Amino acid sequence: MNPEKLSPVGRSLLNRRSFLGQSGMSLGAIALSQLLAKDNLLASNSGTGPIRPNIDDENPYAPRSPHFEMPAKQVLVIYCPGAVSHVDTFDYKPDLYKLHGQKPPGIPAVTFEGPTGNIAKPFWQFRPRGETGKMVSDLLPNLASMVDDFCFMHSLTTQTSAHPQGENFINTGFTMEGFPSFGAWVTYALGCETDELPAFVAINDPRGLARSGKNNFGSGFLPAAFQGTDFTAANPPANLGRPNAYTSDADRASVSLLQRLNAKHLRQFPGDADLAARIASYELAGRMQTSVPDVMDIANEPESVHRAYGTDTGTELKKAYANNCILARRLLEKGVRVVQLFNGSDPAGGNGITNWDSHSDIERTHAMQAEIMDQPTAALIADLKQRGMLEHTLVVWCTEFGRMPFLQANGTGRDHNPDAFTCFLAGAGVKKGFSYGESDEFGFKSAVNETTVYDFNATLLHLMGLDHERLTYYHNGLERRLTNVHGHVVKDVLA
């Protein structure tokens, strides 16, 4: 090589000492920039970098500001495991009546659970409701009477037709387990307005946990402080009561000693989020010894409230679920940030008995679930409205996917449908008496304004004042978020 053809810079690169010195400085700069980016300390003109909440490990539930101001400050998620049939509830399809008993071209020969049967008209009559004239079936008369307050999303689609993965997907944004739930993301970002109750409470169905269990309200790889605390109106958090033989003075002395020991231990291990979360959890449990008995005192609600919710009529399951609905309202009143209320469980496969999974005899099994869910849920939303709480509370009614417009081969049930289903929103920040998107003429596939679960969750975060693309957590070398790398806010549903 002729050195005369090299520039001075080029010749310097051939100097071993210069090359090693510059490489070392460059690698150090790269490492520093990565560390700064991880902690969101790099300057950015684009406004697209991660927004990490400033969390005090010793007080992880302290309230934090949203990314931007929105009316919703709290959220109530009413989740119905098992897949509610949209074509029998909220998604009116006149063509199902025309084609009832037929098998037109385009219907698949086999779906999730086997061979398909013929098109089946809705098992309950649809009627126009409210001033908007929204068509809703007789299966849910109480919710039907409130359609002028609801914002329906009729073109939802999901990635799976299996219940565990479907529950994971709508509640955590991923079909696999181990990812933070929606409630965990919200409380991670915003904390809570009360320091006497958990920031995130999951009220399980009286029959037990849903198919994906605690994953539906878990914290995944987020700090453990942000997982949901699960209890029901019949089963309060365990081990909060002070033993009768233990005096209040001794109790206070023990708590004081534990606080000093915990503080000393935490100073020895600064930055240990798990340790800080455990300490914060125990301290919260101490405060809950007085706050929980108060919030659980449902019996002293006025008779008119019990009558409206239906705690004294119907099956024992309906009464228990109605009590859970009253508990949900009381928790929101006390400032709990996220309440997730389950209507349905899956201790032994569901199959329409313990949840909405109606593969056979849908007319009987969906009616059973509706009798439990309809009146108490409608009363809860009406109660929030009457108390002025819908001005700052977002209500989300959802299920993991829909059901087919045709029957299964058994002729009495509908199979899973991941390509079209309906959920609705109400309250702070959403349009009233509005329907977004459409499924096709059969309710088989999304046809207008297809909306993914990513879009759905992006919209929910936006309504809480959070940017779904910037609310992230650095985990295993990736900036993780609820919506993965997908999702768009459905702006048409915003008030």
Side-chain angles (χ1 to χ4, degrees):
M1 181 180 292
N2 185 356
E4 298 302 322
K5 293 183 180 180
L6 292 176
S7 67
V9 174
R11 280 197 297 272
S12 70
L13 292 175
L14 297 178
N15 184 295
R16 184 174 61 181
R17 182 172 298 173
S18 174
F19 172 77
L20 291 174
Q22 292 180 13
S23 298
M25 292 180 65
S26 299
L27 291 172
I30 292 171
L32 176 62
S33 64
Q34 184 180 21
L35 291 172
L36 291 173
K38 179 180 176 181
D39 292 329
N40 200 29
L41 296 175
L42 283 180
S44 174
N45 296 323
S46 64
T48 58
I51 300 177
R52 303 201 196 288
N54 184 18
I55 297 173
D56 179 358
D57 288 339
E58 297 185 32
N59 187 17
Y61 311 111
R64 295 179 279 276
S65 299
H67 301 166
F68 44 85
E69 287 301 320
M70 290 293 283
K73 309 302 178 188
Q74 297 171 279
V75 58
L76 166 66
V77 179
I78 303 162
Y79 178 58
C80 297
V84 179
S85 173
H86 57 299
V87 295
D88 289 296
T89 52
F90 301 119
D91 198 4
Y92 176 57
K93 296 299 171 185
D95 282 8
L96 294 182
Y97 293 92
K98 301 175 185 177
L99 296 172
H100 178 69
Q102 302 179 38
K103 196 167 186 177
I107 291 180
V110 176
T111 53
F112 182 76
E113 280 217 347
T116 60
N118 297 329
I119 290 283
K121 66 182 180 181
F123 285 86
W124 294 268
Q125 185 65 39
F126 275 74
R127 308 177 196 279
R129 316 284 178 161
E131 294 183 6
T132 58
K134 174 72 175 178
M135 298 291 285
V136 178
S137 85
D138 290 340
L139 178 63
L140 303 171
N142 293 282
L143 286 171
S145 69
M146 303 180 67
V147 294
D148 291 344
D149 290 312
F150 298 162
C151 177
F152 290 94
M153 301 181 75
H154 286 304
S155 53
L156 284 162
T157 64
T158 185
Q159 290 185 348
T160 177
S161 56
H163 291 295
Q165 291 83 355
E167 288 183 11
N168 287 338
F169 193 39
I170 198 160
N171 286 310
T172 74
F174 291 82
T175 57
M176 299 171 289
E177 294 190 352
F179 289 86
S181 61
F182 167 77
W185 279 111
V186 171
T187 51
Y188 161 71
L190 299 177
C192 189
E193 296 296 335
T194 178
D195 62 357
E196 295 185 343
L197 289 166
F200 175 20
V201 174
I203 306 177
N204 287 310
D205 186 88
R207 292 161 285 191
L209 292 167
R211 180 77 66 93
S212 289
K214 295 190 175 185
N215 198 63
N216 287 317
F217 48 87
S219 58
F221 46 71
L222 290 179
F226 304 113
Q227 66 185 340
T229 300
D230 60 316
F231 57 92
T232 71
N235 296 293
N239 304 317
L240 288 182
R242 175 169 52 85
N244 294 331
Y246 198 54
T247 68
S248 59
D249 288 342
D251 192 20
R252 284 193 295 269
S254 296
V255 170
S256 178
L257 175 62
L258 283 172
Q259 286 177 332
R260 293 196 300 273
L261 292 174
N262 283 337
K264 179 180 178 180
H265 194 48
L266 191 59
R267 285 194 297 270
Q268 293 176 337
F269 300 95
D272 187 334
D274 289 339
L275 173 60
R278 284 196 297 273
I279 293 173
S281 177
Y282 285 128
E283 291 179 343
L284 174 61
R287 295 191 293 273
M288 287 167 61
Q289 287 181 329
T290 56
S291 63
V292 165
D294 177 53
V295 79
M296 298 285 293
D297 190 12
I298 292 172
N300 283 338
E301 287 278 340
E303 183 182 347
S304 58
V305 170
H306 284 279
R307 187 166 54 251
Y309 280 79
T311 64
D312 55 354
T313 60
T315 64
E316 292 303 312
L317 281 173
K318 187 254 185 134
K319 295 175 184 177
Y321 175 72
N323 282 327
N324 283 351
C325 288
I326 296 177
L327 175 62
R329 189 216 76 215
R330 292 172 69 90
L331 289 167
L332 291 166
E333 278 185 309
K334 294 291 186 180
V336 174
R337 181 75 70 183
V338 180
V339 175
Q340 187 172 18
L341 176 65
F342 288 81
N343 173 243
S345 68
D346 202 0
N351 201 25
I353 304 302
T354 60
N355 62 28
W356 294 83
D357 190 21
S358 298
H359 288 285
S360 61
D361 202 357
I362 187 172
E363 188 169 12
R364 180 179 67 89
T365 55
H366 255 43
M368 288 171 54
Q369 306 311 321
E371 193 272 338
I372 297 168
M373 190 271 291
D374 182 42
Q375 181 187 353
T377 303
L380 170 58
I381 299 172
D383 201 2
L384 295 175
K385 180 181 179 181
Q386 182 269 328
R387 294 169 189 265
M389 294 174 64
L390 284 186
E391 296 177 7
H392 58 81
T393 304
L394 170 66
V395 177
V396 182
W397 183 95
C398 56
T399 191
E400 64 262 35
F401 38 73
R403 307 203 81 84
M404 292 297 184
F406 40 84
L407 297 177
Q408 296 181 222
N410 60 28
T412 63
R414 297 189 192 271
D415 207 348
H416 304 171
N417 185 359
D419 295 320
F421 66 107
T422 294
C423 297
F424 71 76
L425 311 177
V430 300
K431 291 179 178 176
K432 297 179 180 180
F434 183 73
S435 293
Y436 177 82
E438 296 177 20
S439 59
D440 62 21
E441 65 271 28
F442 309 127
F444 182 31
K445 292 181 180 292
S446 173
V448 178
N449 294 325
E450 180 178 336
T451 306
T452 67
V453 168
Y454 297 120
D455 302 328
F456 186 68
N457 281 329
T459 305
L460 299 187
L461 289 180
H462 182 87
L463 286 162
M464 296 299 295
L466 301 171
D467 185 334
H468 77 103
E469 294 183 339
R470 304 184 68 189
L471 177 61
T472 68
Y473 188 85
Y474 190 78
H475 177 67
N476 282 350
L478 294 173
E479 290 289 349
R480 288 293 193 183
R481 67 190 213 211
L482 175 64
T483 53
N484 198 358
V485 294
H486 310 283
H488 300 88
V489 175
V490 182
K491 295 183 178 179
D492 286 349
V493 305
L494 307 181

